[in-house]
Amino acid sequence: MRIDILTVVPDLLTSPLNESILRRAQEKGLAEIVVHNIRDHTPYKHGQVDDYPFGGEAGMVMMVEPVYRLIEKLKSERHYDEIIFTSPDGVQYNQREANRLSLMKNIIILCGHYKGIDYRIREHLITREISIGDYVLTGGELAACVIADSVVRIIPGAIGDEASALTDCFQDNLLAPPVYTRPSEFNGWKVPDVLLSGNFAEIEKWQEEQAYERTKTLRPDLL
């Protein structure tokens, strides 16, 4: 899978995209994440990629031409299944969307910045708009990292124990059950007896019950 991320602040993405699971997935050849500086594709002087909005509102707007040039260059090199814009008014991102994207071969993620982007980009170039939550970030770079991480980690082979990804929160619309490790007792706090019993049928039943009860209490909307 290849993910191309388009940004005006590429250095912001360097560490998150080159550590932990994302780094290992790229080293294994399971994923390729390429960061592009939009400023490298502007026809304007001094790397200008933004200008004042028509209509006189406050703030700056990302210009259409640099983004168009970069996207068209990438599209001339390969087919893209989705061209995503990280936007507060996009579809709410969730595990189902991450699963869907993980099945694709090539995607582009455009990171918004400034006051916004020229709306013609959204009308004519973007195929999917995604929001990671109802709050405002300085730019779309952190959202792009969230999307890339959540997608790449569920590609088969990206993590050591593939079964672990299948039992993550939200995969079946349930929160994960509690987990414990050694020691079995600490400071008078004990691990539930069933987890120490060795009875895997009872353990699985307990985990299912706990997942349901936690979801019912904490996130009933998921049910």
Side-chain angles (χ1 to χ4, degrees):
M1 179 183 200
R2 176 175 168 127
I3 303 175
D4 289 272
I5 300 179
L6 284 48
T7 173
V8 295
V9 282
D11 290 346
L12 190 60
L13 300 168
T14 301
S15 177
L17 299 178
N18 291 283
E19 298 292 341
S20 188
I21 291 173
L22 289 181
R23 175 177 58 81
R24 294 196 293 271
Q26 293 178 83
E27 290 174 348
K28 292 178 180 179
L30 300 173
E32 180 181 11
I33 304 176
V34 184
V35 177
H36 304 268
N37 191 339
I38 298 172
R39 297 185 190 278
D40 293 338
H41 301 270
T42 182
Y44 304 102
K45 293 181 180 181
H46 311 300
Q48 181 184 1
V49 294
D50 62 313
D51 208 339
Y52 294 102
F54 290 126
E57 292 186 26
M60 304 293 282
V61 175
M62 191 180 296
M63 305 164 84
V64 62
E65 193 168 0
V67 176
Y68 174 83
R69 285 188 171 198
L70 178 49
I71 289 179
E72 288 301 303
K73 175 182 180 296
L74 292 172
K75 286 169 63 178
S76 71
E77 297 169 352
R78 66 192 58 81
H79 169 74
Y80 285 91
D81 303 293
E82 290 280 25
I83 301 176
I84 298 165
F85 173 53
T86 54
S87 163
D89 46 347
V91 298
Q92 197 83 358
Y93 194 60
N94 56 28
Q95 189 62 46
R96 183 177 299 174
E97 181 73 3
N99 292 344
R100 186 183 75 86
L101 293 176
S102 73
L103 300 176
M104 297 182 176
K105 186 175 181 181
N106 302 305
I107 64 173
I108 290 173
I109 304 176
L110 171 62
C111 304
H113 218 73
Y114 311 115
K115 180 69 174 179
I117 65 173
D118 189 301
Y119 200 76
R120 289 167 291 186
I121 298 171
R122 300 168 68 172
E123 288 180 307
H124 301 288
L125 299 174
I126 300 301
T127 64
R128 186 76 164 171
E129 297 193 10
I130 290 177
S131 167
I132 65 166
D134 295 338
Y135 45 84
V136 179
L137 298 171
T138 302
E141 287 74 22
L142 297 180
C145 288
V146 168
I147 294 169
D149 183 278
S150 61
V151 168
V152 170
R153 70 182 306 278
I154 53 177
I155 296 174
I159 61 177
D161 184 358
E162 293 183 19
S164 176
L166 299 178
T167 57
D168 284 342
C169 285
F170 308 118
Q171 283 289 13
D172 52 4
N173 272 4
L174 294 175
L175 300 180
V179 292
Y180 303 85
T181 189
R182 295 183 294 180
S184 60
E185 182 175 348
F186 175 76
N187 205 27
W189 308 329
K190 297 182 179 181
V191 172
D193 290 338
V194 65
L195 296 180
L196 306 175
S197 68
N199 187 329
F200 294 106
E202 287 298 316
I203 290 172
E204 184 176 353
K205 179 182 177 183
W206 179 88
Q207 290 172 332
E208 291 176 353
E209 291 173 349
Q210 288 293 313
Y212 178 80
E213 288 302 322
R214 281 173 49 78
T215 306
K216 182 180 178 181
T217 301
L218 301 173
R219 288 293 304 277
D221 57 295
L222 294 174
L223 298 175

